C-alpha cells in the first residue's frame, strides 16, 4: 500500500518507465499470491463467526478483503497509467521520425 501512495516521476524517460512497470508487475504478482491466504482466512472467519455468534470477526476479514481489492485496483491503475505513458512516448518518437 505504501508503494502505491508514492506517485512515480518517470521524467519522460523510457528506461524509467520500463523499470517502474516491472516493479508494479512484481508487486501485482506478490499481491495475487496473497489471495489464497485471504480466501482461507475468510472461510475460517465465517466458520468462527458462526460458532461464536459474533459477526465482528467476519467484518474485520471483510475489511481486509476490501483493502486487498483496493490495492489490486490501485496496482492495475498504475500499470495502465505507465503503459499509456509508454505508448504516448513511443508514438511521439515515431512521429518525429
Amino acid at each position: 500500500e505504501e508503494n502505491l501512495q508514492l506517485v512515480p516521476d518517470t521524467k519522460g524517460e523510457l528506461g524509467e518507465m520500463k523499470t517502474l512497470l516491472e516493479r508494479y508487475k512484481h508487486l501485482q504478482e506478490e499481491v495475487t499470491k496473497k489471495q489464497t491466504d485471504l480466501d482461507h482466512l475468510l472461510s475460517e472467519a465465517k466458520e468462527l463467526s458462526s460458532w461464536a455468534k459474533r459477526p465482528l470477526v467476519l467484518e474485520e476479514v471483510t475489511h481486509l478483503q476490501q483493502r486487498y481489492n483496493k490495492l489490486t485496483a490501485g496496482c492495475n491503475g498504475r500499470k495502465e497509467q505507465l503503459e499509456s505513458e509508454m505508448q504516448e512516448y513511443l508514438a511521439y518518437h515515431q512521429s518525429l521520425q
Side-chain angles (χ1 to χ4, degrees):
E1 289 174 324
E2 290 176 10
N3 288 340
L4 289 178
Q5 295 296 326
L6 303 173
V7 178
D9 181 22
T10 59
K11 301 174 186 128
E13 295 181 18
L14 185 61
E16 187 69 26
M17 290 180 222
K18 288 181 179 180
T19 301
L20 285 171
L21 185 60
E22 287 302 315
R23 185 177 299 152
Y24 285 121
K25 284 182 181 179
H26 179 69
L27 182 63
Q28 182 76 36
E29 289 172 7
E30 288 181 25
V31 169
T32 303
K33 288 178 186 177
K34 298 295 181 185
Q35 177 65 44
T36 56
D37 294 338
L38 189 57
D39 290 340
H40 181 69
L41 188 62
L42 187 60
S43 67
E44 286 185 4
K46 285 179 184 177
E47 189 175 335
L48 181 61
S49 181
S50 68
W51 287 350
K53 297 190 182 355
R54 291 184 174 227
L56 183 62
V57 175
L58 185 58
E59 289 173 7
E60 289 180 12
V61 175
T62 304
H63 178 69
L64 284 176
Q65 179 72 40
Q66 292 170 350
R67 284 179 59 193
Y68 173 83
N69 293 339
K70 183 179 176 183
L71 184 64
T72 302
C75 195
N76 284 335
R78 286 287 166 86
K79 282 177 25 184
E80 290 172 4
Q81 176 188 6
L82 281 169
E83 289 170 347
S84 173
E85 189 176 350
M86 286 174 60
Q87 289 299 323
E88 289 174 10
Y89 176 87
L90 293 173
Y92 173 75
H93 282 284
Q94 287 278 336
S95 67
L96 286 178
Q97 292 179 359

